[in-house]
């Protein structure tokens, strides 16, 4: 069971004055979304535990509605709108799981979702948007094109913009994962979280450290899109000229709402190579029997990496929660990547 | 919750006089194995429900220890041996999940497992036997070679033979799936079960029909190994000269202990083509996010098949339990099969 520490919350440095979300907004989000989201399974595997000499607890957000954690934030954003706001619909730009999640949440509320999708988005994720009734507006792949077209759609529809991570409602929704996980596995001392735009890790870190400040939050990031690691090193947001990684869900950069959380509450960032992600995906499929996307496997890749295993700072990480962020993958692309990684 | 009907059990025609197992032996098995086996998850998907217009409940035995339901029967067989019997170890021949399950259960009890494995067994399943400490003795692929070498190993070791399905202890262990499933989803009116040697479906049928005689038990069988369908039609055990199916777990034939159960308690056998199995596998990976082996997907293939959907006898099957029997698959072989099935 969770032991809420009200004194600590009152004294906490983790306040909404400092960050976009806090434990109160995350608990509010949990109330708001609990009848819509799945309480996802936590899996463990003795084989994987033996591989890394720690106890691993996989929080399987791939089993969340829409196939990824994004549905939590999207639900919180949409169901916290008043009827007048909601009536004109919601607008976002996203190449992936946020788009599908927003479309699904909008469908449940019975309002339109306008989704600006770059032409290079993974097919399976675009299919999910369509299946959930989202209205797709295509853009070029560049962020400039995505943003210009989004502005136009906002003007034409009068809808409410729901950014995929740089949004208090989204961060609060994603934070509900920590509330669940620490109730399901109270002994957790470390949580490993994929980092991209930072919405997930911000919510998870704020909630977990509010409940237990000694919990370590480790980000997992692909080397080809390591803006968070570079930002931590530089002490300010770093944006990269380009990204290159198999993990299509991890190519975004930190935003002004998520950067302060990553700066202050994330203990370290573990950077992994794409071949480590692919090997971890293989373990997820073959040992855990869970179909994950590359972003969903990066947490396992991080705890299996030499940079984590050989770091004395993490030798006391014994009970590690791993956020398996999603499972939306084109099986064809998956195989191509596995095949290329054969020795 | 389960409502045990003691009157019905006393009157039941489903007795151990008639069949190798009964509800008592299955409840005994549950007590025997409960501290070793996982109570497996039941998953559902609104998307898959909408595909077939029924409520589907996937009993995910791929998450069982060893990656398949076989661990239930193996545990029951091994932990019901007395110390003298157990001391000399256990012997079996198996190309797949039974071998690994027996090795794992033997490892837990601390006794040797001698496993005769044909040279054409799937690599991932052989790896599982090795990982669990089973002692592998290779045979040729033919059943004659497997049986001859098994007889020799039994003579040399003095171990106890544990057949993979034609064994009361095995059938009783597999039957515990029904006890769990009907407790997890009491409204189930139909259970769809892969059939091969018949150990799984015998246990599931005996337990389910003892609890609720109106539950329909439907077998799912690949066309290239449809000995059970042919046996039902002929009214006696039919063995095939050869089998040809992607579902490597479903190539065995009914035995003398499982045939009477299939004859009397299985309401129908739904025969599906390999391409239907492959399509169902794709749905399991892409929609359910569960990594299954071909045998594990055949239940979904059956409920999506025209022969099931168009059969008026099954129009009242509204709440369907599907046994996802296992998830041990070589990803390379999987992709080859998916790739061949591309339009």
């Amino acid at each position: 069971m969770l032991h809420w520490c009200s004194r600590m919350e009152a004294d906490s440095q983790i306040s909404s004055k400092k960050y976009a979300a806090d434990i109160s907004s995350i608990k509010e989000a949990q109330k708001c979304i609990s009848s819509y989201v799945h309480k996802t399974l936590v899996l463990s595997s003795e084989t994987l535990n033996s591989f890394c000499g720690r106890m691993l607890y996989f929080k399987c957000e791939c089993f969340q509605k829409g196939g990824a954690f994004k549905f939590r934030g999207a639900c919180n954003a949409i169901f916290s709108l008043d009827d007048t706001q909601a009536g004109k619909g919601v607008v976002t730009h996203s190449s992936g799981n946020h788009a599908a999640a927003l479309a699904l949440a909008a469908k449940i509320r019975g309002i339109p979702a306008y989704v600006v999708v770059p032409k290079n988005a993974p097919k399976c994720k675009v299919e999910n948007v369509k299946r959930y009734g989202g209205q797709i507006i295509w853009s070029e792949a560049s962020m400039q094109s995505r943003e210009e077209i989004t502005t136009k759609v906002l003007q034409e529809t009068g809808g409410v913009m729901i950014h995929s991570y740089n949004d208090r409602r989204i961060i609060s929704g994603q934070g509900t994962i920590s509330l669940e996980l620490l109730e399901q596995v109270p002994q957790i001392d470390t949580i490993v979280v994929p980092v991209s735009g930072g919405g997930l890790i911000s919510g998870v870190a704020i909630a977990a450290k509010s409940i237990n400040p000694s919990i370590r939050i480790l980000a997992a990031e692909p080397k080809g899109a390591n803006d968070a690691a570079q930002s931590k090193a530089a002490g300010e947001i770093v944006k990269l000229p380009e990204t290159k990684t198999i993990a299509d869900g991890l190519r975004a950069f930190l935003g002004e709402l998520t950067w302060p959380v990553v700066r202050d509450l994330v203990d370290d960032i573990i950077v992994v190579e794409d071949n480590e992600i692919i090997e971890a995906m293989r373990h997820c499929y073959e040992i855990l029997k869970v179909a994950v996307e590359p972003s969903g496997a990066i947490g396992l890749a991080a705890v299996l990496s030499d940079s984590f295993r050989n770091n004395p700072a993490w030798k006391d990480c014994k009970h590690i929660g791993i956020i398996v962020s999603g499972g939306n993958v084109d099986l064809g692309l998956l195989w191509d990547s596995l095949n290329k990684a054969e020795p």
Side-chain angles (χ1 to χ4, degrees), chain A residues 34 48 87 100 106 159 170 192 212 239 268 273 281:
Chain A
S34 64
L48 290 177
I170 295 290
V192 181
N212 178 358
K239 301 201 179 194
D268 200 2
E273 303 273 359
M281 283 182 80

Side-chain angles (χ1 to χ4, degrees), chain A residues 2-4 8 14 22-23 26 174-182 188-191 193 200-217 265 267 323:
Chain A
L2 269 181
H3 300 286
W4 297 113
M8 191 189 70
I14 306 173
D22 58 21
I23 188 73
I26 294 167
Q174 324 304 29
T176 61
I177 294 174
S178 283
L179 304 187
E180 273 181 30
L181 178 59
L182 294 177
I188 275 179
D189 55 40
T190 306
I191 307 179
V193 195
L200 172 63
I201 201 167
S202 293
V204 166
I206 290 168
K209 294 219 173 187
S210 295
I211 294 166
N212 178 358
S214 71
I215 286 181
R216 280 154 289 210
I217 304 292
L265 303 184
D267 295 274
I323 311 294

Side-chain angles (χ1 to χ4, degrees), chain A residues 227-238:
Chain A
D227 65 295
Q230 291 195 33
S231 299
K232 284 277 267 190
E236 60 182 7
I237 296 182
V238 173

Side-chain angles (χ1 to χ4, degrees), chain A residues 36 45 49 56 68 71 74 79 89 108 134 141 145 202 204 239 292 324 333:
Chain A
Y36 307 108
S45 156
N49 290 347
L56 307 180
F71 186 63
F79 284 95
I108 294 169
S145 167
S202 293
V204 166
K239 301 201 179 194
V292 301
V324 179
L333 292 179

